[in-house]
C-alpha cells in the first residue's frame, strides 16, 4: 500500500458532495477523548467507505490515523488484486472509477472471486456502469460475485449500490448461479439499476423463476431495460415472468 493510493482515496473523499448517513461526523472534529479510544476507532472504521478510510489515514489525529492505516493494510492484499491481470486497474481507479468495461477479459470464476472480494472490501464503490460480459464466469463466478456485493450492516446498499448499468451477457450462467444472483437482488442490492443484461447465458426455467420472483417482490424498481434473449426458457418460465409483472392493487 502506497502514499499514492492513500492520496487518491483522500482526494475522492474530499471531492464528495455529501456523505452517507451511516458515516460518522468528520473525524477531525471528534472530541479528543474519543480520539484516544482505540476500540471505538476500530468500530467506526468498519463503517467508513474506502475513500474516507484513506483520508483518515492521512489527515487526522494520531490514534485515528494509526487505526485507519492498520485497516487499510489488512485490506490491501485483496484490493491490490485489481492492479494485475485481467483487471489492470490503477490505484486511483479502485476509488474513483465510475465506468468499468471488462468485457472479454477471460476473467473466469477465479477472477470473479477476486473481484467480489475486492468489492466487499470497499473497492469500486463509485461505479455506475459495469460490464462483465463474455468472461466465462459460470455459476461459481456469479455466486461469488453475488456474495461480494450483498448488503451488510456496514453497507446497507451493498458493495455496488450505485451501479445503474450491469452487463453479465454471455457468461455461462445457469440456474444455480441465477438463483444466487436473484437472492442478492431480493436483499436490496443493485436497487439503482436501470439496465440489466443477462442475454446468452444458460438460464433455464428454475433460474428464471427465482429471478422473476425477486422482481415480483418489488426490487429493481428503477429498471427500465432488461435483456434475457438466448437463454433456455420455455413456456413455464414465460408464465413466471407474466406473473411477476402482473399489475396488483398495490402496484
Amino acid at each position: 500500500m502506497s502514499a499514492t493510493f492513500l492520496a487518491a482515496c483522500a482526494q475522492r473523499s474530499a471531492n464528495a458532495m455529501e456523505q452517507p448517513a451511516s458515516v460518522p461526523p468528520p473525524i477531525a472534529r471528534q472530541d479528543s477523548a474519543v480520539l484516544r479510544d482505540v476500540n471505538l476507532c476500530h468500530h467506526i472504521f468498519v463503517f467508513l467507505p474506502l475513500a474516507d478510510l484513506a483520508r483518515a489515514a492521512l489527515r487526522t489525529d494520531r490514534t485515528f490515523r494509526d487505526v485507519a492505516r492498520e485497516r487499510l493494510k489488512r485490506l490491501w492484499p485483496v484490493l491490490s488484486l485489481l492492479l494485475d491481470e485481467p483487471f489492470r486497474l490503477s490505484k486511483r481507479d479502485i476509488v474513483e472509477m465510475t465506468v468499468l468495461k471488462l468485457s472479454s477479459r477471460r476473467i473466469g470464476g477465479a477472477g470473479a472471486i477476486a473481484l467480489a472480494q475486492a468489492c466487499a472490501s470497499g473497492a469500486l464503490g463509485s461505479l455506475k456502469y459495469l460490464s462483465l460480459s463474455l468472461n466465462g464466469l459460470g455459476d461459481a463466478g456469479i455466486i461469488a460475485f453475488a456474495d461480494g456485493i450483498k448488503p451488510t450492516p456496514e453497507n446497507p446498499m451493498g458493495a455496488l449500490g450505485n451501479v445503474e448499468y450491469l452487463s453479465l451477457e454471455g457468461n455461462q450462467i445457469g440456474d444455480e448461479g441465477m438463483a444466487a444472483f436473484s437472492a442478492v437482488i431480493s436483499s436490496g442490492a443493485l436497487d439503482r439499476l436501470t439496465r440489466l443484461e443477462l442475454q446468452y447465458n444458460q438460464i433455464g426455467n428454475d433460474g428464471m423463476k427465482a429471478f422473476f420472483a425477486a422482481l415480483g417482490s418489488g426490487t429493481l424498481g428503477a429498471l427500465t431495460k432488461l435483456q434475457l434473449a438466448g437463454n433456455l426458457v420455455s413456456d413455464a418460465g414465460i408464465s413466471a415472468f407474466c406473473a411477476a409483472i402482473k399489475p396488483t392493487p398495490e402496484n
Side-chain angles (χ1 to χ4, degrees):
M1 183 178 64
S2 69
T4 303
F5 175 69
L6 293 178
C9 294
Q11 185 61 48
R12 172 72 181 88
S13 178
N15 291 339
M17 297 301 295
E18 60 182 17
Q19 294 181 338
S22 60
V23 176
I27 34 191
R29 301 178 185 175
Q30 297 290 331
D31 181 83
S32 59
V34 174
L35 294 174
R36 292 192 295 271
D37 189 333
V38 176
N39 290 331
L40 181 58
C41 293
H42 279 285
H43 174 74
I44 289 173
F45 284 133
V46 168
F47 293 87
L48 280 182
L50 185 61
D52 293 322
L53 183 63
R55 185 183 184 190
L58 286 172
R59 301 184 178 182
T60 60
D61 173 273
R62 179 176 178 179
T63 302
F64 264 57
R65 184 175 64 244
D66 291 347
V67 173
R69 289 181 176 179
E70 179 185 340
R71 179 165 174 77
L72 283 170
K73 185 176 181 180
R74 290 199 304 270
L75 295 176
W76 183 243
V78 173
L79 299 174
S80 63
L81 295 175
L82 298 182
L83 304 180
D84 301 324
E85 295 288 348
F87 307 107
R88 304 195 299 271
L89 303 184
S90 71
K91 294 172 182 177
R92 186 175 293 276
D93 289 339
I94 292 174
V95 179
E96 294 188 345
M97 182 170 275
T98 59
V99 176
L100 180 55
K101 299 178 181 180
L102 292 173
S103 300
S104 303
R105 294 283 188 94
R106 299 180 180 179
I107 290 174
I113 292 172
L115 178 62
Q117 291 174 338
C119 289
S121 297
L124 305 176
S126 298
L127 279 186
K128 293 187 176 181
Y129 179 111
L130 174 60
S131 176
L132 293 170
S133 60
L134 306 173
N135 275 297
L137 302 184
D139 280 345
I142 196 64
I143 289 171
F145 178 73
D147 187 63
I149 66 172
K150 65 184 179 184
T152 65
E154 297 82 13
N155 191 352
M157 292 178 60
L160 296 179
N162 293 314
V163 169
E164 299 172 359
Y165 171 102
L166 175 62
S167 177
L168 296 168
E169 174 188 356
N171 272 299
Q172 303 168 21
I173 299 169
D175 287 346
E176 185 180 3
M178 192 59 180
F181 184 66
S182 301
V184 80
I185 288 174
S186 296
S187 71
L190 301 174
D191 265 0
R192 293 186 179 178
L193 274 185
T194 60
R195 180 167 176 171
L196 175 60
E197 298 183 353
L198 291 163
Q199 66 267 41
Y200 302 111
N201 282 290
Q202 299 169 5
I203 306 166
N205 289 333
D206 289 344
M208 286 299 183
K209 287 178 181 178
F211 178 63
F212 296 146
L215 292 183
S217 69
T219 57
L220 299 187
L223 198 65
T224 59
K225 188 166 185 178
L226 175 63
Q227 296 275 16
L228 294 171
N231 282 289
L232 308 177
V233 185
S234 69
D235 288 348
I238 297 301
S239 296
F241 174 67
C242 292
I245 63 173
K246 182 179 178 179
T248 65
E250 297 77 24
N251 190 4

